[in-house]
Amino acid sequence: MEKIINWIIHHKKITIILLLLMIFGPMILIHILYKIHLNCYWIESDWTSGELLGYYGNVLSFIGTIVLGYIAI
């Protein structure tokens, strides 16, 4: 654990960029994938983009809750 904390302290810019990509990257990818219309019926999703973004928001909330619970303990 100490190695990870030291790496984060020494590489603050890279850590911030990685966190931003991990949080906003999937949202951008979902937006792009639902804007491209393919004429293949077996690739099309049953979910709408709003449902998928809502699911991703729930996953982010779950991760935040777990981290806060760990900090509280």
Side-chain angles (χ1 to χ4, degrees), residues 35-54:
K35 286 297 179 184
I36 298 172
H37 296 289
L38 301 173
N39 292 327
C40 240
Y41 68 92
W42 55 274
I43 295 178
E44 292 179 4
S45 174
D46 293 334
W47 294 354
T48 64
S49 59
E51 292 172 337
L52 196 55
L53 287 172

Side-chain angles (χ1 to χ4, degrees), residues 12-63:
K12 289 180 183 177
K13 289 181 183 178
I14 294 173
T15 304
I16 291 171
I17 291 171
L18 285 174
L19 284 174
L20 288 175
L21 282 176
M22 287 173 33
I23 293 172
F24 293 110
M27 288 188 278
I28 294 169
L29 184 66
I30 290 168
H31 180 73
I32 290 171
L33 289 176
Y34 277 92
K35 286 297 179 184
I36 298 172
H37 296 289
L38 301 173
N39 292 327
C40 240
Y41 68 92
W42 55 274
I43 295 178
E44 292 179 4
S45 174
D46 293 334
W47 294 354
T48 64
S49 59
E51 292 172 337
L52 196 55
L53 287 172
Y55 174 77
Y56 182 65
N58 289 335
V59 169
L60 287 178
S61 299
F62 170 74
I63 292 170

